[in-house]
Amino acid sequence: MTAFYISQSVKNMSTDTLFVIGLMTVVSLVWGILAIPRLRTRLPKIYLIARSWWLMLVALCVCYVIAKIDNSQHGYPYQWVLIAFFMLIGLRGCYEIKRVWSIYDKAGLISKLQARGLQPKIISDKPKSVLIHSYTRLNLLDIIFSSAFISLILSLIVLQQLTWQREQYGILLFVFFASQFNDIAQYLCGRLLGRKLFKRGLAPTISPNKSIEGAVFGSFFAAMLAAVLGHWLTPFSGWLCLLAAYGLAVSGIFGDLLESAFKRQHGIKDTGTMLAGHGGVLDRIDSLLIGVPIFTLLYWLFG
């Protein structure tokens, strides 16, 4: 009897809810395995990355599940929870940008990064009096990066509203998965294949650690897996899922490089220390910067 009720409950669950449960299960298992002392000692960075990814996923999935609570009389009265989550990311990201622009605040950030071994020692020839309440002069890259980040937050809110209105909830999850899994796929492919086929890095002056192999093979595998899941989560055809997934993966590379250029210009390794293994919120969502606004616009016009 218990098995029957469980079976009926599973059948009544929507595909996006099953995806959320499955994704959280897989990520939790991976993090649990990496938490084994021997593996944690051998792979400390990967462990921290998995932990940060798990924490962000928990926050996103909890907000998503709450936003999906259906009230037959009032529709989805808790959509604001997911919107509030995106706005909190936006506020935190704006704070990180402002901290980088402020020379005094940036000095404090650099000290934090250096204390954790994430930033090389930098000897400043500027007197302390100049650093207090002084801001860097904005240039074109600062404006482009800041505009891309604001566009991202607005696009996430618009995409959530569109998917709820059209009752195509899985599209939001598909976009997140296609963009974020690309980061992991690139990292793993870069570790396994980096500099074995191409001597030159992907963008050595902007991000020396990124390899062409990681970008090419990582985006390919990420797009393939996302396309399979997209066929399940979205109303798109197989080819359209693959095209969208690959577009999100490739644009994720450019978003990552845009943020890397922004950080290199300001002489910092990470935009924060909030997420161990990743850095700040901007370091975590950089792969969304370009692809999500473009996808949202196309989905709004042609979806």
Side-chain angles (χ1 to χ4, degrees):
M1 186 63 70
T2 303
F4 173 77
Y5 282 120
I6 293 175
S7 176
Q8 287 299 111
S9 299
V10 170
K11 287 181 180 179
N12 292 333
M13 286 183 183
S14 57
T15 54
D16 56 309
T17 303
L18 289 172
F19 175 77
V20 168
I21 294 172
L23 181 62
M24 285 306 307
T25 301
V26 171
V27 174
S28 298
L29 285 173
V30 171
W31 182 32
I33 293 171
L34 290 171
I36 297 173
R38 183 179 298 178
L39 285 177
R40 185 173 177 177
T41 302
R42 291 180 58 188
L43 304 169
K45 185 175 181 180
I46 296 179
Y47 166 77
L48 291 174
I49 291 174
R51 186 180 71 176
S52 296
W53 213 59
W54 184 85
L55 289 171
M56 291 290 287
L57 271 177
V58 166
L60 173 63
C61 290
V62 168
C63 291
Y64 181 86
V65 171
I66 294 174
K68 276 294 300 292
I69 295 176
D70 187 7
N71 185 316
S72 56
Q73 293 181 343
H74 302 93
Y76 296 95
Y78 304 109
Q79 291 185 56
W80 64 267
V81 174
L82 195 54
I83 294 174
F85 177 68
F86 295 147
M87 292 182 69
L88 284 174
I89 291 177
L91 290 173
R92 176 65 192 187
C94 288
Y95 166 74
E96 291 179 4
I97 292 174
K98 176 262 177 188
R99 183 169 55 180
V100 172
W101 285 345
S102 169
I103 297 177
Y104 178 72
D105 291 338
K106 183 168 69 174
L109 171 62
I110 290 175
S111 297
K112 283 185 180 180
L113 294 172
Q114 289 174 344
R116 301 190 182 192
L118 301 173
Q119 180 89 19
K121 294 289 183 181
I122 299 175
I123 301 175
S124 176
D125 57 355
K126 296 182 179 180
K128 189 174 181 180
S129 59
V130 175
L131 296 179
I132 299 176
H133 303 302
S134 179
Y135 287 81
T136 57
R137 180 175 297 177
L138 304 186
N139 58 27
L140 181 60
L141 181 58
D142 290 317
I143 295 172
I144 291 174
F145 179 76
S146 304
S147 301
F149 177 70
I150 294 172
S151 297
L152 167 63
I153 301 303
L154 294 175
S155 296
L156 288 173
I157 295 172
V158 170
L159 183 60
Q160 184 273 330
Q161 290 291 295
L162 286 173
T163 53
W164 255 247
Q165 289 173 7
R166 298 174 181 179
E167 297 184 351
Q168 298 174 345
Y169 315 103
I171 288 178
L172 185 66
L173 298 173
F174 165 72
V175 169
F176 269 109
F177 183 84
S179 301
Q180 293 290 281
F181 183 71
N182 183 49
D183 282 353
I184 299 175
Q186 281 190 63
Y187 178 78
L188 294 176
C189 289
R191 288 287 299 268
L192 292 172
L193 303 171
R195 308 301 171 91
K196 292 183 178 179
L197 299 177
F198 300 94
K199 299 267 184 201
R200 187 179 182 277
L202 180 65
T205 58
I206 298 175
S207 186
N209 294 327
K210 292 193 180 301
S211 64
I212 297 177
E213 294 88 344
V216 173
F217 293 103
S219 59
F220 173 77
F221 288 121
M224 291 297 292
L225 180 56
V228 172
L229 293 172
H231 191 63
W232 179 44
L233 287 170
T234 73
F236 302 151
S237 65
W239 283 108
L240 188 56
C241 281
L242 180 60
L243 181 63
Y246 193 71
L248 288 166
V250 172
S251 64
I253 298 173
F254 288 102
D256 193 352
L257 291 176
L258 175 61
E259 200 230 2
S260 294
F262 173 76
K263 292 189 294 185
R264 181 165 289 274
Q265 172 183 266
H266 290 281
I268 56 172
K269 180 67 171 64
D270 294 317
T271 60
T273 57
M274 182 179 177
L275 299 171
H278 283 296
V281 166
L282 293 175
D283 298 306
R284 177 61 273 162
I285 53 87
D286 53 5
S287 60
L288 305 173
L289 285 172
I290 297 175
V292 172
I294 294 175
F295 179 91
T296 301
L297 179 62
L298 293 175
Y299 178 65
W300 178 39
L301 294 174
F302 305 109

